[in-house]
Amino acid sequence: MPTEKLDKALDTEIEQLQAEGRAKIPERVIDGYIPPAGDSGPRYRIRGIDRPFIRLNSNSYLSLSNNPQMIEAADRATNDFGVGPGAVRFIDGTFIHHADLEERTARFVNKRAAKIFNSAYTANLGLAIAVSSKKTCWIGDSLNHNSIIRAMRIANIPRANKGIYRHNDMDDLRRCLDEVEDGIERVIVVFDGIFSMRGDNAPIHEIQALCNEYDSRFPEGVITVVDDSHGIGAYGETGRGTAEYCGTNPDIIVGTFGKAFGVNGGFVAASESVIEAVRQKADTYIYTNPLSMADCAAARKALDICDSDEGKKLLSNLKERTLQFRNGLEFLGKESIPGPHPVVPMLVRDTGKTHETVRYLFENGVLVVGLTFPVVPKGDETIRFQINAAHTEKDIEEVLALLGKV
Ligand SMILES: Cc1ncc(COP(=O)(O)O)c(C=O)c1O
């Protein structure tokens, strides 16, 4: 049956998104990678445009995607075991690479056990399904990532069992905890470690302390869950993420291998019982083929690199370049949100100027993201810069010089 009627309805919906300014821009296609050379970091080519670009819109904070050791590990896994697992985990789709990565991930984030998923997005969905009961109340930060919001919908958590606190506002979190209805047995407080549109972090030590205060009121306790997709690998003294930065250890950690570690895939790390519940109950873990062996081998190598001298050097360069960029913005009198994370927002506070600046940077070979209403509230229009460990001092100087002309 032709889909003409459906096509028409969908076209109307998309026109509506365009009219509201919510439609996604056409996707650019990267068709060339130019390795670092001299005092320049890597550059990228975009199909149809005859000039190289520096990427300040990549989540690959440690710049490991092209790491030769990781490529070699992925190649070896592929040569030895093939390109795909051929089945879901519990029907003999579990290879040594999956088991190794889980063991190494748990150790990396200082937890008893971990399970890997195809992405952090599906990890959040699976976790919510696995740890929810009819008598669970979920409380989350108002700026939580879409995957957490969607996770709560998929886990079918009724509206009455949800609370939202104002971003990083501990008084409002206390209000949510106070408002949990009698009869609730388990409370789960969930938040991003790093808020990716702003680069600020959740005060996990304060959240943890508050949750501890309320723990005895509920038979199954108050559990903290951090989704530290932008923190793990890139934040804290040794790259352990926001928990390390805040000097605490939340109960459950969700993360990704697709950002600082430069590969793909996500994970949940927690106690053995939580992880066994994930294995038994999380649909997005059970009913789907796992990551390829190559992905797992590369991600495992990334964790090893992060703990090596090479990794320490990358993290230290990331911190230095981030500081250089943040200081440069300040010198230019640009408004930002302070903090040490490599997501550095520049608040423009005007839609037209945001688009103009993004276009100007693009025409001069710099890729960044402009955030305008409705992604951010009106008046908070921002350009998001993301620094990574492969950026050189000269790269950052060049970008700042361009911004000085805006
Ligand atoms: C907090 C958070 N969770 C999850 C994700 C999704 O990560 P992945 O690409 O591994 O699904 C993102 C990425 O944008 C994120 O910022």
Side-chain angles (χ1 to χ4, degrees), residues 59 117-124 143-148 191-197 227-230 254-259 264-267 384:
N59 301 315
F117 287 73
N118 290 316
S119 64
Y121 202 108
T122 51
N124 277 324
L143 296 189
N144 273 349
H145 186 256
N146 172 281
S147 56
I148 300 175
F191 43 89
D192 289 23
I194 301 291
F195 293 84
S196 61
M197 301 293 160
D227 173 350
D228 207 13
S229 289
H230 287 267
V254 174
T256 182
F257 302 111
K259 301 194 193 296
N264 253 328
F267 67 85
R384 181 176 74 167

Side-chain angles (χ1 to χ4, degrees), residues 150-171:
R150 183 60 71 187
M152 293 199 204
R153 291 193 189 133
I154 284 190
N156 225 353
I157 299 155
R159 193 178 277 270
N161 289 5
K162 281 188 224 172
I164 304 291
Y165 60 92
R166 281 192 300 274
H167 176 55
N168 277 353
D169 182 333
M170 294 303 101
D171 292 336

Side-chain angles (χ1 to χ4, degrees), residues 60-63 194 230-242 244-246 260 306 310-328 339-344 386-393 396:
S60 187
Y61 300 114
L62 292 178
S63 197
I194 301 291
H230 287 267
I232 300 217
Y235 210 52
E237 187 64 28
T238 65
R240 259 57 183 173
T242 311
E244 181 180 36
Y245 180 78
C246 293
C306 195
E310 180 184 352
K312 284 178 196 147
K313 219 165 128 198
L314 288 170
L315 195 57
S316 143
N317 194 47
L318 176 64
K319 287 177 182 168
E320 267 176 44
R321 297 286 73 79
T322 301
L323 189 64
Q324 180 193 353
F325 187 69
R326 284 185 177 273
N327 286 345
H341 194 268
V343 163
V344 187
Q386 289 170 289
I387 310 301
N388 74 57
H391 290 144
T392 64
E393 195 174 348
I396 301 294

